[in-house]
């Protein structure tokens, strides 16, 4: 055992974040901690790492066990260089031995200027420096809080591989469901101050959690049935004259005092938008450069009402710049951005609104709109906050008392309160819990206008995107399909082209009379029907994926089935081309 925590309790103001919980980490355990924003996940990690103390309980670890922590908002020295920060708490000999590995890691994380001062970095760059510092630590236990935030797809894939090979114990908070599926072997859910442990990855956890909920419901139904029988017995006026009668009354009172199983509040979203006219946003040969470096070059596109576009690319490629150009918040150097008169943009940016930390939660939302109309009716600002998991007592607190995830959820609500009809979302999944993400995905699928999403969340883009725009070296390249489709096409583009073997030229080629074999003749007669049947199966598989909702396991199975069908379809198409060409040659030969 690397680490144990027993009978931990911790209060934060009026909130009971941890209530007499236990946690154990053995060598090889890779635990994903999940739960709704504001339940205390980050606090739990800090308690495990020893940076804060619990009100009650104890943490035990072997004295020789080394722990490395990546916190959600790491403390850093603004005057230190990137490389100095990575080795800030290590002796000079350690830096000498590990400097090459650290530089290689920083390069992987998109940080090539090792002498740049920390104070000049963006928030995302700072988090990546802190991640490198946590990983370079020769630790037995890694504790990571949202390690995938601010990483692009290539960086996430590299980190996923690195953590899968890590031999020690891992505890991390992350919203990345592919990460939870492929890296962790334990899920710990924090709910209402309690910890629920599952020896499972993400898909198995969903299955086990449903079983636990069904068992709790069955137990509650049984309790209510017994209570009904016992209540009738009590109401008949039976007196506690005998020992058996006294025991029966005590059992009744004990059952009566039992609490019903608690369930987590769930986020409720309803699509609300303003009317959208025929003309939306038209970009015509738009270009933008910064300090002489082209970011977007000669880009044209007419936004359609049904667009569901995922925007990908390396960090710094210009994804956020593209969204700012589309929103009209940034003027292009050349070209035009023409916006329809009915367009009302909801722009969820990485930077977010400037939040007054002293302002009450209720006042912030009420100042934007007193009410909002949805498909389910009209809701007041207070009602919408409750649907976004801000109960009455939380509405009255200052924004500064909210967790990072709760502030992101509040910002998301502020965007939707304005009833936009075009959504531009820049890294919307950062700091949002997996439960909220699932509800947000369902909401976006029902949104009536176009949606453009910059995200590194592969699961999110697989579920929502119908086309991908990759920003690469100033060019915006379009791909049909979701994130997985784009990844396959990019791999195919980057695969080395196999050199064709030179054909031996015969001086006197013998003429051979062309003809179908019996098998080829039968195949040629049926191949058109075979192709039509395969195309229909691919279409059915795609439709099933769109209809499977948040069922991750089913979605994964359908994606694998579609990939298999497309491979068969490609092979069958090549065979059809060969047989068709052969038939044409036979017909020409026979006159």
């Amino acid at each position: 055992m690397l680490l144990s925590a027993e009978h931990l309790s911790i209060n934060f103001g009026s909130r009971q974040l941890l209530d007499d919980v236990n946690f154990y980490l053995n060598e090889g355990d890779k635990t994903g901690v999940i739960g709704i924003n504001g339940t205390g996940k980050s606090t739990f990690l800090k308690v495990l790492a020893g940076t804060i103390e619990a009100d009650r309980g104890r943490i035990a670890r072997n004295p020789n066990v080394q722990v490395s922590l990546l916190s959600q908002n790491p403390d850093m020295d603004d005057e230190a260089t990137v490389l100095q920060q990575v080795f800030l708490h290590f002796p000079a000999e350690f830096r000498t031995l590990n400097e090459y590995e650290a530089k290689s890691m920083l390069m992987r994380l998109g940080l090539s200027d090792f002498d740049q001062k920390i104070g000049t970095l963006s928030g995302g760059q700072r988090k990546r420096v802190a991640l490198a510092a946590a990983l370079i630590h020769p630790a037995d236990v890694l504790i990571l809080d949202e390690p995938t935030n601010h990483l692009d797809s290539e960086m996430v894939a590299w980190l996923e591989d690195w953590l899968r090979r890590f031999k020690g114990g891992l505890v991390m908070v992350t919203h990345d469901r592919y990460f939870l599926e492929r890296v962790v072997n334990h899920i710990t859910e924090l709910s209402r101050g309690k910890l629920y442990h599952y020896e499972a990855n993400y898909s198995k956890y969903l299955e086990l959690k449903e079983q636990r909920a069904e068992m709790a419901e069955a137990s509650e139904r049984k309790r209510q049935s017994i209570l009904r029988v016992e209540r009738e017995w009590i109401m008949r006026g039976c007196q506690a004259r005998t020992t058996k009668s006294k025991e029966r009354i005590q059992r009744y009172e004990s059952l009566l005092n039992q609490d019903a199983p608690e369930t987590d509040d769930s986020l409720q979203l309803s699509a609300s938008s303003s009317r959208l006219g025929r003309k939306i946003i038209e970009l015509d040969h738009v270009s933008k450069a910064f300090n002489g470096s082209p970011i977007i070059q000669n880009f044209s596109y007419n936004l359609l009402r049904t667009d569901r576009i995922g925007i990908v690319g390396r960090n710094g490629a210009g994804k956020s710049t593209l969204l700012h150009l589309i929103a009209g918040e940034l003027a292009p150097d050349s070209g035009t951005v023409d916006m329809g008169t009915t367009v009302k943009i909801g722009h969820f940016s990485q930077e977010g609104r400037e939040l007054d930390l002293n302002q009450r939660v209720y006042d912030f939302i009420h100042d934007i709109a007193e009410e909002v109309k949805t498909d389910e009716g009209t809701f007041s600002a207070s009602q919408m906050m409750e649907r976004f998991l801000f109960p009455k007592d939380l509405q009255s607190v200052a924004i500064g008392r909210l967790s990072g995830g709760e502030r992101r959820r509040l910002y998301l609500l502020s965007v939707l309160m304005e009833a936009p009809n075009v959504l531009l979302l820049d890294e919307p999944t950062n700091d949002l819990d997996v439960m909220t993400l699932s509800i947000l995905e369902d909401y976006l699928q029902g949104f009536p206008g176009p949606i453009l999403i910059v995200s590194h969340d592969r699961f999110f883009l697989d579920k929502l995107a119908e086309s991908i725009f990759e920003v690469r070296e100033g060019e915006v390249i379009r791909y049909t399909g979701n994130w997985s489709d784009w990844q396959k096409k990019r791999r195919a583009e980057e695969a080395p082209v196999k050199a064709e073997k030179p054909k031996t030229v015969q001086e006197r080629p013998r003429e051979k009379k062309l003809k179908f074999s019996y098998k080829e003749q039968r195949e040629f007669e049926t191949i058109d029907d075979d192709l039509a049947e395969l195309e229909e199966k691919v279409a059915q598989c795609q439709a099933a994926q769109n209809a499977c909702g948040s069922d991750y396991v089913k979605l994964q199975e359908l994606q694998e089935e579609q990939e298999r069908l497309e491979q068969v379809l490609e092979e069958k198409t090549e065979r059809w081309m060969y047989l068709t060409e052969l038939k044409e040659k036979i017909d020409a030969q026979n006159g």
Side-chain angles (χ1 to χ4, degrees):
M1 185 179 294
L2 298 173
L3 180 152
S4 69
E6 296 182 336
H7 304 294
L8 294 183
S9 294
I10 189 165
N11 282 73
F12 183 75
S14 60
R15 293 200 229 179
Q16 183 80 38
L17 297 182
L18 298 174
D19 183 13
D20 193 31
V21 301
N22 299 319
F23 178 82
Y24 304 97
L25 186 75
N26 296 312
E27 189 172 342
D29 285 351
K30 295 181 179 178
T31 301
V33 180
I34 64 175
I36 294 170
N37 292 135
T39 52
K41 300 187 297 296
S42 295
T43 301
F44 175 57
L45 293 196
K46 290 176 183 175
V47 171
L48 291 181
T51 59
I52 64 173
E53 289 189 8
D55 298 329
R56 290 186 301 279
R58 62 187 288 270
I59 302 286
R61 67 174 71 92
N62 187 306
N64 296 321
V65 168
Q66 293 288 313
V67 177
S68 181
L69 170 69
L70 171 70
S71 61
Q72 197 171 49
N73 298 297
D75 291 328
M76 307 187 85
D77 181 356
D78 287 348
E79 295 304 312
T81 66
V82 167
L83 204 56
Q84 286 171 345
Q85 180 66 47
V86 169
F87 292 107
L88 196 60
H89 303 293
F90 297 100
E93 311 87 72
F94 181 81
R95 173 170 175 170
T96 303
L97 291 171
N98 294 277
E99 186 165 319
Y100 175 79
E101 184 182 353
K103 287 180 176 179
S104 175
M105 195 175 286
L106 288 167
M107 291 286 285
R108 286 280 196 176
L109 294 171
L111 298 159
S112 55
D113 187 353
F114 309 130
D115 296 322
Q116 188 174 357
K117 290 289 182 71
I118 294 295
T120 66
L121 301 180
S122 67
Q125 289 171 320
R126 291 166 71 99
K127 184 72 181 271
R128 278 179 269 144
V129 172
L131 175 60
L135 298 183
I136 204 72
H137 192 296
D140 303 291
V141 177
L142 268 178
I143 300 178
L144 309 177
D145 196 346
E146 297 286 9
T148 63
N149 278 5
H150 310 292
L151 303 186
D152 61 33
S153 300
E154 289 184 14
M155 296 174 192
V156 170
W158 169 80
L159 179 61
E160 184 180 292
D161 183 60
W162 196 97
L163 291 176
R164 285 169 69 176
R165 289 184 284 107
F166 178 65
K167 301 298 184 185
L170 170 67
V171 185
M172 67 174 172
V173 170
T174 181
H175 64 263
D176 191 313
R177 286 155 290 183
Y178 280 153
F179 226 67
L180 289 169
E181 180 67 16
R182 296 167 181 169
V183 174
V184 309
N185 52 26
H186 286 70
I187 296 281
T188 293
E189 181 182 357
L190 175 54
S191 174
R192 298 177 180 271
K194 298 295 185 182
L195 293 178
Y196 300 92
H197 305 287
Y198 302 85
E199 284 198 37
N201 59 5
Y202 183 66
S203 57
K204 186 65 176 175
Y205 148 76
L206 292 176
E207 183 183 325
L208 293 173
K209 183 181 179 182
E210 187 175 352
Q211 290 175 8
R212 178 168 69 86
E214 288 172 355
M215 289 172 63
E217 288 174 9
S219 178
E220 176 61 13
R221 284 195 300 270
K222 183 178 179 181
R223 184 176 78 96
Q224 291 297 337
S225 297
I226 295 172
L227 278 174
R228 186 171 60 252
V229 173
E230 296 300 275
R231 191 180 296 113
E232 290 172 359
W233 180 77
I234 294 283
M235 294 301 290
R236 286 199 299 268
C238 297
Q239 298 176 1
R241 295 196 185 106
T242 67
T243 302
K244 284 188 177 180
S245 295
K246 289 178 182 177
E247 289 175 351
R248 188 168 178 180
I249 291 171
Q250 287 171 356
R251 283 199 304 271
Y252 168 76
E253 290 174 346
S254 176
L255 283 169
L256 189 64
N257 292 329
Q258 278 184 23
D259 292 327
E262 292 183 328
T263 56
D264 285 323
D265 296 328
S266 61
L267 186 69
Q268 300 177 59
L269 293 178
S270 302
S272 58
S273 64
S274 307
R275 187 185 71 83
L276 185 61
R278 182 174 298 177
K279 182 179 178 181
I280 304 179
I281 302 173
E282 298 176 358
L283 293 89
D284 184 28
H285 296 92
V286 168
S287 296
K288 186 68 183 178
F290 290 112
N291 302 321
S293 299
I295 303 298
I296 303 294
Q297 296 185 82
N298 202 32
F299 176 59
S300 298
Y301 187 72
N302 288 343
L303 197 62
L304 304 175
R305 185 186 297 269
T306 57
D307 275 341
R308 298 287 187 270
I309 301 169
I311 301 174
V312 301
R314 292 184 174 178
N315 284 344
K319 304 184 296 292
S320 298
T321 299
L322 180 59
L323 283 194
H324 285 297
L325 287 167
I326 294 170
E329 298 166 353
L330 189 63
D333 297 336
S334 60
T336 59
V337 178
D338 193 8
M339 195 173 297
T341 56
T342 60
V343 169
K344 191 171 184 181
I345 290 176
H347 188 183
F348 184 88
S349 67
Q350 275 200 68
E351 304 81 23
R353 293 180 191 262
E354 281 293 328
L355 299 178
D356 180 355
L357 301 185
N358 296 315
Q359 188 179 22
R360 289 195 314 158
V361 171
Y362 174 83
D363 293 335
F364 171 66
I365 295 298
H366 188 266
D367 289 350
I368 295 168
E370 295 182 10
E371 62 180 29
V372 63
K373 293 180 180 179
T374 75
D375 294 340
E376 298 176 19
T378 301
F379 294 92
S380 67
S382 179
Q383 289 172 323
M384 283 299 289
M385 279 184 271
E386 288 184 3
R387 292 168 75 87
F388 263 66
L389 304 185
F390 292 105
K392 296 284 187 185
D393 58 332
L394 206 54
Q395 293 177 24
S396 61
V397 306
I399 292 172
R401 290 185 59 190
L402 301 180
S403 70
E406 286 174 320
R407 291 184 201 178
R408 290 286 283 180
R409 184 161 14 103
L410 183 67
Y411 172 40
L412 176 62
L413 173 58
S414 73
V415 172
L416 301 181
M417 283 295 289
E418 294 173 334
N421 49 31
V422 175
L423 280 177
L424 308 180
L425 307 176
D426 196 348
E427 297 291 3
T429 65
N430 281 1
D431 298 317
L432 293 183
D433 58 76
V434 291
M435 294 78 165
T436 300
L437 284 176
S438 180
I439 302 298
L440 177 60
E441 286 161 356
D442 291 339
Y443 165 82
L444 293 175
Q445 286 181 327
F447 186 74
I451 305 172
L452 290 89
I453 309 166
V454 171
S455 181
H456 68 266
D457 191 319
R458 301 160 291 177
F459 188 96
F460 196 69
L461 290 182
D462 267 347
K463 189 166 181 182
L464 291 173
E466 295 174 4
S467 59
I468 297 290
F469 286 6
E470 182 186 0
V471 183
R472 192 196 318 163
E473 297 177 356
E475 189 179 358
V476 180
I477 308 161
R478 302 176 209 168
Y479 296 84
T480 302
N482 59 16
W483 184 88
S484 292
D485 296 326
W486 163 77
Q487 188 186 48
K488 280 187 282 189
K489 289 169 184 173
R490 287 287 284 120
R491 283 176 178 167
E493 289 173 3
E494 293 171 354
V497 179
K498 292 180 181 178
E500 291 187 10
K501 293 181 181 179
K503 294 178 181 177
T504 305
V505 179
Q506 297 178 1
E507 292 183 8
R508 293 184 179 178
R510 291 186 300 167
E511 286 194 13
K512 184 179 178 182
K513 190 168 183 177
L514 298 172
K515 64 176 183 178
F516 274 146
S517 67
Y518 174 77
K519 185 178 177 182
E520 286 173 336
Q521 180 65 44
R522 292 294 302 273
E523 186 180 5
F524 182 70
E525 290 168 358
T526 60
I527 196 164
D528 285 322
D529 292 337
D530 294 343
L531 285 169
E533 185 180 347
L534 281 168
E535 288 168 349
E536 176 63 23
K537 286 182 179 178
V538 170
Q540 289 172 356
C541 196
Q542 289 171 334
Q545 287 179 53
N546 295 332
C548 73
S550 300
D551 188 340
Y552 168 82
V553 178
K554 184 67 175 173
L555 183 64
Q556 195 85 333
E557 290 174 356
L558 287 168
Q559 286 174 347
E560 290 172 0
E561 175 64 10
Q562 182 181 338
E563 189 173 338
R564 186 190 68 78
L565 286 170
E566 287 174 343
Q567 179 66 32
V568 174
L569 179 60
E570 186 178 345
E571 291 170 359
K572 184 70 75 172
T573 302
E574 289 178 359
R575 184 65 178 165
W576 173 84
M577 290 174 64
Y578 165 76
L579 292 172
T580 303
E581 289 175 2
L582 180 57
K583 180 68 167 65
E584 289 172 353
K585 289 176 181 178
I586 291 171
D587 291 344
Q589 174 185 270
N590 296 334

